[in-house]
Amino acid sequence: MFSATLSRLRCPKCRGGLKLPPGAEASTADILSGALDCPKCRTAYPILAGVAVLVEPVEEYLCAHAKGISKLVKDSEIPKQYRRAYQEALQEMREMGPDHIEEDLESDRVNALYLMNHYIATRDLDFAGPDPMIREWVAKVWDKGPLEEVAMRVAEIDVPGLSVVEQGCGVGGLARRIFQKKGDGRSYLGVDSSFASIALARHLNLGAPYGAKIQYPADLIEGVVSKAFPKILPLGTTDVDFVVGDLSVMPVQVGSWDVAVSMNAIDMLENPNDMPKSQAKLLKPKGIAIQTGPYIWHPEVAKNLRAQFPKAASDSATMVKELYLENGFELAESRDQIPWLFFKHHRQIELYSVHLLVMKKKG
Ligand SMILES: C[S@@+](CC[C@H](N)C(=O)[O-])C[C@H]1O[C@@H](n2cnc3c(N)ncnc32)[C@H](O)[C@@H]1O
Ligand SMILES: [Zn+2]
């Protein structure tokens, strides 16, 4: 992490300010190791391979995300008090062998799909493989997805020194698009619970060292990922950063952001109302919340939502809009049917229809 990011961060446990590792205060270089200490509750949050892990309890996080962490971090770099539990969790994972869980956000395969979606443009159509049918769909909708729609809207917000926080930022492609459209004087902080995604976001946008291969899928006979990911030039700014955190317990300042973005994450929450509630807390009065989603609800979550908001139960877009209205927002824009295409390999693509909401926090 960059020392400039510190003023934005808060302890997720007690909301106190955090302290950089000794000697790092005056440096503009990326801080790759050490810990962020909370003087108030005395929790130490490790920085591993440049990624600040701002989740509590730390040990539980390190064990649950051991797969992503172990690709970039040596066992000896894991803080001593957590090392044993971490190594046991890792061992258990290795014994289970390679998995095929679609949603495993610490796996190379899932991150590769997001990497392509976030960083590769249609002009690099080579990735799409030989099938003209797949190439046609890629050419038609690949560059018109939610990332582009959201980046366009953020670029249009004319506030000097605009500050943007993103919850569930994944591999960080939105930051890049925002800064390429209009970066001067703006700042951005991305938060996600996946260690692998945050490490990739920091590497590709900020040039943080990355000690593993980055590949994407092609013909699966060659392996789940087999093609080298193209080199991406870092943005060359310390106004952008990414940290590990939980979007229900955001490790950042509240009441101080101009824009809060969340893309395609609300339907992963046990309680989707946490998203507008959290965005309302993060934003300044009159701040803008941008939310997109394909609304693939877990049946239990859908049932609870319908019971809580019977009047809004007609469809997902109305339901989510209602959640925002309930949390002190007014509607600025609602747009539906944004195509979100995933290239899974030479013989499979996946198309989602995404809803986008722009909401303004009441002043
Ligand atoms: C479907 S992916 C979308 C990623 C990215 N926003 C995009 O649209 O391409 C959902 C993201 O939310 C993150 N996520 C899910 N639950 C989370 C939580 N409780 N706290 C932080 N991040 C979370 C996942 O790790 C993942 O990166
Ligand atoms: Zn604390």
Side-chain angles (χ1 to χ4, degrees):
M1 66 167 277
F2 294 125
S3 56
T5 307
L6 187 78
S7 62
R8 289 295 198 182
L9 301 179
R10 293 292 176 272
C11 171
K13 189 173 175 189
C14 75
R15 312 293 320 150
L18 298 169
K19 262 178 64 184
L20 289 171
E25 293 88 348
S27 167
T28 53
D30 202 4
I31 305 163
L32 298 177
S33 60
L36 291 172
D37 282 318
C38 174
K40 207 164 138 197
C41 74
R42 306 201 156 269
T43 308
Y45 298 97
I47 304 172
L48 302 168
V51 176
V53 176
L54 295 166
V55 180
E56 225 279 318
V58 175
E59 180 172 297
E60 208 172 279
Y61 179 86
L62 297 179
C63 291
H65 295 258
K67 185 197 278 178
I69 297 170
S70 64
K71 267 177 256 164
L72 302 175
V73 179
K74 292 194 204 95
D75 284 12
S76 58
E77 294 170 273
I78 302 292
K80 239 187 181 152
Q81 67 267 42
Y82 309 127
R83 204 175 297 155
R84 205 166 147 183
Y86 169 82
Q87 283 173 323
E88 280 171 12
L90 200 54
Q91 186 56 29
E92 226 170 88
M93 250 170 240
R94 286 184 177 143
E95 277 162 17
M96 276 160 37
D99 59 52
H100 297 282
I101 306 172
E102 284 282 308
E103 301 85 32
D104 182 357
L105 284 144
E106 297 295 355
S107 76
D108 286 343
R109 197 185 83 84
V110 175
N111 275 295
L113 303 185
Y114 282 106
L115 278 178
M116 298 172 78
N117 201 267
H118 282 221
Y119 292 96
I120 298 191
T122 310
R123 62 176 178 276
D124 311 311
L125 197 61
D126 264 1
F127 75 86
D131 188 328
M133 171 181 65
I134 289 189
R135 292 173 76 88
E136 190 187 328
W137 273 103
V138 169
K140 208 158 146 185
V141 295
W142 185 262
D143 289 339
K144 298 182 180 144
L147 279 160
E148 195 51 31
E149 291 290 337
V150 172
M152 246 158 43
R153 280 158 180 83
V154 175
E156 278 163 14
I157 303 172
D158 197 14
V159 170
L162 190 85
S163 56
V164 181
V165 64
E166 185 181 4
Q167 290 165 277
C169 62
V171 295
L174 180 68
R176 180 171 207 86
R177 285 169 200 243
I178 292 174
F179 267 68
Q180 282 172 343
K181 288 188 195 304
K182 194 169 178 187
D184 274 4
R186 297 183 162 209
S187 67
Y188 166 99
L189 181 67
V191 178
D192 198 284
S193 54
S194 159
F195 186 90
S197 301
I198 292 294
L200 284 162
R202 297 199 81 260
H203 173 63
L204 296 171
N205 288 299
L206 312 174
Y210 191 86
K213 268 195 202 163
I214 308 180
Q215 292 178 307
Y216 65 83
D219 186 326
L220 293 185
I221 195 76
E222 293 161 5
V224 275
V225 287
S226 55
K227 285 260 180 295
F229 196 73
K231 188 130 192 63
I232 308 275
L233 278 183
L235 290 169
T237 175
T238 57
D239 297 330
V240 171
D241 211 340
F242 304 87
V243 297
V244 157
D246 191 300
L247 56 81
S248 305
V249 197
M250 285 287 281
V252 302
Q253 274 182 317
V254 296
S256 67
W257 301 88
D258 296 303
V259 180
V261 179
S262 153
M263 296 175 60
N264 315 316
I266 194 169
D267 51 4
M268 293 180 85
L269 300 180
E270 216 173 293
N271 185 0
N273 200 35
D274 283 352
M275 186 63 83
K277 201 195 269 177
S278 159
Q279 287 184 315
K281 230 158 113 184
L282 295 171
L283 287 167
K284 295 175 183 169
K286 298 199 162 86
I288 300 290
I290 305 183
Q291 195 292 128
T292 69
Y295 306 144
I296 303 166
W297 311 111
H298 186 282
E300 246 344 90
V301 171
K303 193 170 136 200
N304 291 341
L305 277 175
R306 284 200 308 270
Q308 262 179 287
F309 302 95
K311 272 199 265 163
S314 58
D315 66 276
S316 291
T318 310
M319 175 68 76
V320 172
K321 191 173 75 190
E322 182 61 25
L323 298 185
Y324 277 82
L325 296 175
E326 286 275 325
N327 280 283
F329 287 95
E330 52 197 43
L331 178 68
E333 183 189 353
S334 171
R335 194 180 142 205
D336 216 336
Q337 293 157 10
I338 295 169
W340 191 30
L341 186 72
F342 275 87
F343 174 82
K344 301 194 93 173
H345 57 91
H346 280 183
R347 295 180 182 276
Q348 188 184 13
I349 53 175
E350 198 167 80
L351 180 62
Y352 297 83
S353 172
V354 169
H355 173 233
L356 176 145
L357 261 188
V358 183
M359 304 295 291
K360 189 170 184 176
K361 182 175 163 177
K362 289 183 185 159

